[in-house]
Amino acid sequence: MGLFYTLKAEKMFHRLLKRDVTGSPFYVHISLFDSSVVVPLPTHEPLATCTVERWYAAPGVERIPIKSGKVRGALFLPPGPGPFPGLIDLFGGAGGLIEFRASLLASKGFAVLALAFFAYDDLPQTLEVIDLEYFEEASRLLLKNPKVKGPKIGVIGLSKGAEVALAMATFLEEIAAAVCINGATSMNGAPLHFRDINIPAVPYSTEAMLINEIGLMSSFNVMGDPLDSVHEVSAIPVEKAQGHILLVAGEADQSVNSKMFAEIALGRAKKFGRTNCSLLHYPRAGHMIEPPGSPICFLSFLRVSPMPTIWGGESKPHAKAEEHLWKEALKFFELHLGPAGKLYEKKVQIS
């Protein structure tokens, strides 16, 4: 897959992101040139060409827009009667609704709610507070669907979505399994409210933002030192989680000190005698650990940032991390939620 994961954007600092996940594929045009051609010019004729289609939804996967109560998002259902294990899919600080991972998971036999929680439709445009009752409502909505297998569901989150996913696994009885990728394990920037529970946030230290000589930004130190005892009150009490938690950290993450945060949460769980928390960490992998097979995002513009953000990572180790985590996450969810649905059987006749 090296042809694909090493592709570079023509527009600097842009991220390849599939929006219409069910209506069309990505078309990748491949040209093969003579080995003497270092940089192809319009005058160079390729030896061969082809176009590859990369689909983000298997045939029959259904996308249903969700606008129910306070919940906003898109539900992806595999074909067939089900019931299928249910998942909620969360992304991070860019806000809005990102659907490509949800459609890929649905293509593997999960019923997946891609859930927006700010900067989308009539939701707040900025994230001032994490109201866990919103995520509880979304969890119960998913469980009510007749194609979703209960009694519990899973959640997967990246970056800020990982922080929220960890809080969901800690406080919501509906969550049996959570995969938290490169996120903080304490509340940062926005406090958490859930009924009579209030966890204050560690304020962002914007003065700790690092900007290199070409104007690229790293937010690695913005969340402060997670080992500082002053921040203990903001830690998510993972020892209260009844479900299983898989923490994931890229060791070359330049956005969040994700490995340190994960190790602190893992240590806290062990301190209380809990064995339901585990850690996967990947040397030389960056922040944007996503499903494999697409160009790796090492830096890009973020909606709330005035300059491009460095996400970190090196091509080959990061790609290997994406391949490994994708398989491990699928196995993790099947272990704790039950087998994924089988979309179809491919029969091969040998003559």
Side-chain angles (χ1 to χ4, degrees), residues 17-344:
L17 192 65
K18 185 61 173 156
R19 295 292 185 184
D20 178 16
V21 293
T22 55
S24 65
F26 272 141
Y27 295 100
V28 183
H29 187 70
I30 300 174
S31 298
L32 174 66
F33 291 87
D34 185 274
S35 60
S36 63
V37 176
V38 179
V39 179
L41 299 173
T43 54
H44 291 128
E45 287 292 329
L47 301 176
T49 63
C50 72
T51 299
V52 176
E53 294 184 6
R54 199 277 167 86
W55 286 87
Y56 280 75
V61 169
E62 182 182 12
R63 179 190 183 275
I64 304 170
I66 297 297
K67 191 171 185 177
S68 175
K70 296 178 181 177
V71 180
R72 303 291 180 266
L75 175 62
F76 292 88
L77 294 174
F84 306 102
L87 299 176
I88 288 179
D89 186 20
L90 303 168
F91 277 84
L97 182 63
I98 299 175
E99 305 177 15
F100 70 90
R101 188 171 59 198
S103 62
L104 290 171
L105 287 166
S107 300
K108 294 296 183 180
F110 295 89
V112 190
L113 174 59
L115 184 63
F117 53 102
F118 75 104
Y120 177 77
D121 198 63
D122 57 354
L123 295 173
Q125 288 303 299
T126 56
L127 193 60
E128 303 297 333
V129 63
I130 302 296
D131 179 5
L132 213 57
E133 291 185 22
Y134 173 79
F135 300 92
E136 181 183 53
E137 182 181 344
S139 301
R140 291 176 176 177
L141 178 70
L142 182 58
L143 279 166
K144 285 180 182 177
N145 191 292
K147 278 197 170 188
V148 176
K149 178 166 55 180
K152 297 189 177 185
I153 60 171
V155 59
I156 183 169
L158 170 69
S159 194
K160 192 67 175 181
E163 184 180 314
V164 175
L166 185 61
M168 291 173 68
T170 300
F171 295 111
L172 300 187
E173 62 182 19
E174 293 83 5
I175 305 300
V179 175
C180 307
I181 307 166
N182 285 335
T185 55
S186 57
M187 301 311 301
N188 283 267
L192 180 141
H193 293 168
F194 183 55
R195 300 194 181 109
D196 60 345
I197 298 170
N198 294 284
I199 300 180
V202 177
Y204 290 137
S205 301
T206 53
E207 71 278 3
M209 197 80 71
L210 298 176
I211 301 172
N212 68 14
E213 62 275 9
I214 60 171
L216 302 177
M217 181 184 74
S218 170
S219 58
F220 188 81
N221 296 313
V222 167
M223 293 183 186
D225 183 0
L227 293 173
D228 191 333
S229 59
V230 174
H231 300 157
E232 176 67 21
V233 68
S234 298
I236 298 170
V238 292
E239 69 276 5
K240 295 183 178 181
Q242 296 304 306
H244 295 264
I245 298 167
L246 178 61
L247 300 165
V248 181
E251 294 186 14
D253 188 344
Q254 291 299 305
S255 177
V256 180
N257 194 345
S258 50
K259 188 182 179 188
M260 181 178 285
F261 273 112
E263 288 175 338
I264 290 170
L266 187 62
R268 180 172 181 139
K270 289 180 177 178
K271 177 183 175 182
F272 286 89
R274 304 306 306 276
T275 59
N276 57 337
C277 196
S278 56
L279 170 62
L280 280 177
H281 54 94
Y282 295 102
R284 296 186 290 164
H287 186 69
M288 290 289 201
I289 300 179
E290 298 180 322
S294 291
I296 298 168
C297 183
F298 297 115
L299 47 92
S300 68
F301 279 106
L302 192 62
R303 188 180 59 87
V304 294
S305 172
M307 57 193 69
T309 296
I310 303 172
W311 305 118
E314 300 174 27
S315 292
K316 191 170 183 178
H318 191 100
K320 290 294 184 184
E322 290 186 335
E323 291 173 4
H324 184 265
L325 176 60
W326 181 246
K327 294 174 184 176
E328 290 300 306
L330 294 175
K331 287 194 293 185
F332 177 80
F333 285 130
E334 287 200 277
L335 177 63
H336 299 298
L337 302 175
K342 302 301 180 185
L343 272 65
Y344 55 85

